[in-house]
Amino acid sequence: MSGTDLKSPEQLSVNWHQRALDLRPDGRALIDGRRVDAVSGDTFACHSPVDGRLLTQVARGQAADIDAAVRSARAAFEDGRWSKQPPAARKRALQRFAGLILAAQEELALLETLDMGKPIQYSLAVDVPAAARCIAWYGEAIDKLYDEVAPTPATALALITREPMGVVGAIVPWNYPMIMAAWKLGPALAAGNSVVLKPSEKSPLTALRLAELALQAGIPEGVFNVVPGYGHEAGEALALHMDVDAIGFTGSTRVGRRMLGYAGESNLKRVFNELGGKSAFVVFDDHEDLDQAARAVAGAMFFNQGESCNAPSRLLVQDSIADAVIDAVVGQTPRYQPGDPLAPQTTMGALVDEGQLQTVLRYIEAGRSEGANCLIGGARAREASGGYYVEPTVFDGVRNDMTIAREEIFGPVLSVIRFKDEAEAIALANDSSYGLQASVWSSHIDRAHRVARALKAGTVHVNQYDEDDITVPFGGVKQSGNGRDKSLHAFDKYTELKTTWIRLSV
């Protein structure tokens, strides 16, 4: 999810501050095609990390609201208003949905920026288009999937068919609210399921708006429901619900463990976890362009304020070139100084809330206290704005057993670890409980391929980082989760295989 620049002069000239003042977000849940208050009438305040302003009051969904949404989703699934539509009809609806997302690009981008703090240029140029592409791609894929006929004897015909699971619960995080929602919605809806989406309480606004756009696109009432609320209330109720067939979860490893427990406590529903990461970015001394590597690691690490599960937060660099690479990385940090997220030129915005700010600052202090050398950054920024900003931070002298090298920080903090040779680089990179992504930088194809094969990660990049396409799967190994988002492989998460064995007379 690397950054890009705004292309539109019109968007560059928009007064986003005035647009923000004019915005009136609707924080009510969307259940069975209608905007509704929480059953309890409770709400919670949605404040912007940009400057602390109150955006709206949001319905505080709890077990009763989840139950209403699941009942609506189940009824929609069982009567076939979506699940039994011809694939071509579902395709048309999803493509209309994608078109409406693009038509609402500026509104959705502004909601995303105000809700979770990322720069408006990236909400416009990355998040909204990526969400629309995802929905459109899965819509297009619907009538390209074929079932199978097994190679049985002539006395039998065995059909292997994909069938929708039923009701899918989707729980998504606050760092890429629209994109993560689309990664779940695209394949789940394309396969014919009904969905109950629980967005993060820290960033619920675009999910609620997406559900309205889905209705406008012709996706029937009850097929896509959104219940905002806290994880320990709405999220837990969804994961424990006896009439939910699968959970697609993206979030922390700590909560991912709970998801597996909830499945065991309830109906053994399928759980697909996309969890955290501590990705290794490995630079060998035979790479010909060290500045390119430095630009890539800085751009990927500080993009989205470091709030990315796949951020390359461990820079492993060979001793002989370490000083040169570190100098080049530090030289990149002025490009990522925190700025006003509503200013079109800003490249790094605000952390999502006060709690995340304090978490990042505690990790920075842990790095210092354990003996790492903070080369640049390491402090709060723009405090007078009322928002939550941290400087881009680079630590040298990091050992792989230090807290900042072991735990996911989810902030703009890069740890530099030096290595002597290829064997040590592989050992250090794999010495992590996570296995989401990694990167190898070498000008020798044999080394690049050899090391890439040795690294335990769901995705290994070679001489680049975070290049991406909807056609390739995303997910990790070890405590980074199971299952894959994106690509045709995502259908495996939201469908069941059925074998129909027919005895033939010959």
Side-chain angles (χ1 to χ4, degrees):
M1 298 166 198
S2 55
T4 185
D5 295 321
L6 284 174
K7 302 291 194 298
S8 166
E10 293 79 13
Q11 289 168 341
L12 283 169
S13 64
V14 168
N15 185 336
W16 294 105
H17 287 279
Q18 186 58 51
R19 291 273 186 95
L21 290 174
D22 295 339
L23 199 64
R24 298 292 183 269
D26 188 343
R28 293 175 296 166
L30 196 148
I31 299 173
D32 202 29
R34 296 179 296 113
R35 286 287 202 151
V36 294
D37 294 322
V39 171
S40 66
D42 292 344
T43 62
F44 61 90
C46 180
H47 291 275
S48 175
V50 171
D51 53 14
R53 77 180 70 179
L54 176 66
L55 296 173
T56 191
Q57 294 289 331
V58 177
R60 183 174 173 174
Q62 299 177 62
D65 306 281
I66 289 293
D67 190 58
V70 172
R71 281 189 279 108
S72 171
R74 177 60 65 187
F77 181 76
E78 296 299 338
D79 68 23
R81 69 188 76 164
W82 179 253
S83 59
K84 295 178 183 177
Q85 281 195 28
R90 296 201 303 271
K91 171 182 177 175
R92 289 191 294 270
L94 287 175
Q95 290 179 330
R96 287 194 297 268
F97 184 20
L100 289 171
I101 291 171
L102 289 177
Q105 181 180 24
E106 292 187 2
E107 176 195 2
L108 289 169
L110 183 57
L111 283 171
E112 199 84 325
T113 289
L114 289 173
D115 214 6
M116 61 76 54
K118 70 177 61 192
I120 188 67
Q121 69 158 312
Y122 298 137
S123 294
L124 281 164
V126 178
D127 295 66
V128 179
R133 280 195 303 271
C134 177
I135 298 296
W137 191 85
Y138 281 105
E140 185 62 44
I142 291 174
D143 57 7
K144 309 300 187 294
L145 292 176
Y146 289 81
D147 293 325
E148 304 170 38
V149 177
T152 56
T155 56
L157 174 65
L159 308 177
I160 304 168
T161 55
R162 282 186 186 270
E163 298 187 353
M165 300 190 82
V167 176
V168 171
I171 302 175
V172 298
W174 43 261
N175 58 333
Y176 294 97
M178 273 186 290
I179 293 176
M180 297 293 100
W183 285 6
K184 313 299 186 196
L185 291 170
L189 292 176
N193 297 286
S194 296
V195 178
V196 177
L197 173 64
K198 207 297 283 185
S200 170
E201 66 275 12
K202 298 181 181 183
S203 59
L205 299 181
T206 49
L208 292 164
R209 188 69 182 103
L210 286 176
E212 289 183 324
L213 295 175
L215 287 168
Q216 292 177 32
I219 295 174
E221 295 176 355
V223 172
F224 175 23
N225 306 273
V226 180
V227 182
Y230 293 105
H232 67 280
E233 295 176 343
E236 181 177 310
L238 184 60
L240 283 169
H241 202 286
M242 294 295 291
D243 204 24
V244 171
D245 299 295
I247 290 287
F249 173 76
T250 298
S252 70
T253 298
R254 174 180 57 84
V255 178
R257 287 192 181 94
R258 292 183 187 172
M259 292 294 143
L260 296 174
Y262 295 148
E265 293 175 38
S266 56
N267 60 344
L268 290 179
K269 58 177 62 69
R270 308 291 194 273
V271 174
F272 301 101
N273 281 328
E274 195 276 284
L275 307 175
K278 200 69 183 174
S279 299
F281 188 106
V282 185
V283 184
F284 288 99
D285 61 7
D286 60 21
H287 186 64
E288 294 175 352
D289 189 344
L290 299 183
D291 285 336
Q292 178 196 20
R295 290 192 301 272
V297 73
M301 184 64 243
F302 301 131
F303 182 68
N304 211 49
Q305 304 75 246
E307 295 170 323
S308 300
C309 56
N310 60 335
S313 52
R314 290 186 300 150
L315 170 58
L316 275 57
V317 59
Q318 200 156 10
D319 280 336
S320 58
I321 57 167
D323 290 341
V325 171
I326 291 166
D327 286 347
V329 171
V330 170
Q332 289 292 312
T333 57
R335 298 182 58 194
Y336 302 100
Q337 292 303 312
D340 175 9
L342 294 174
Q345 295 78 16
T346 293
T347 56
M348 196 165 84
L351 298 177
V352 71
D353 63 9
E354 172 74 22
Q356 188 60 23
L357 170 71
Q358 295 305 322
T359 294
V360 172
L361 293 176
R362 283 195 298 271
Y363 275 113
I364 290 171
E365 182 54 36
R368 290 188 174 110
S369 65
E370 292 179 18
N373 180 21
C374 185
L375 299 177
I376 197 163
R380 184 174 182 176
R382 305 189 79 245
E383 189 168 358
S385 70
Y388 312 115
Y389 302 83
V390 170
E391 298 170 338
T393 301
V394 179
F395 278 98
D396 189 16
V398 178
R399 300 187 314 273
N400 211 43
D401 62 351
M402 289 181 175
T403 301
I404 58 172
R406 306 302 298 177
E407 298 182 12
E408 187 176 38
I409 298 173
F410 235 58
V413 182
L414 178 66
S415 296
V416 181
I417 303 169
R418 302 175 185 232
F419 65 87
K420 294 182 175 60
D421 55 28
E422 184 177 308
E424 186 182 17
I426 293 169
L428 287 168
N430 287 336
D431 181 21
S432 172
S433 60
Y434 297 106
L436 188 55
Q437 290 197 174
S439 185
V440 180
W441 292 73
S442 171
S443 294
H444 294 291
I445 189 62
D446 54 346
R447 166 174 273 175
H449 185 65
R450 184 170 61 244
V451 175
R453 289 287 298 270
L455 293 178
K456 295 179 173 63
T459 299
V460 179
H461 303 277
V462 176
N463 295 336
Q464 53 85 21
Y465 198 85
D466 214 22
E467 290 182 12
D468 183 52
D469 193 85
I470 191 63
T471 61
V472 297
F474 181 92
V477 299
K478 299 192 284 187
Q479 292 185 36
S480 287
N482 65 313
R484 293 294 182 268
D485 286 320
K486 299 168 53 198
S487 83
L488 294 177
H489 293 282
F491 281 107
D492 297 337
K493 295 163 53 173
Y494 304 116
T495 57
E496 294 280 20
L497 290 181
K498 176 184 283 185
T499 297
T500 303
W501 187 282
I502 305 170
R503 171 62 61 185
L504 301 176
S505 298
V506 294

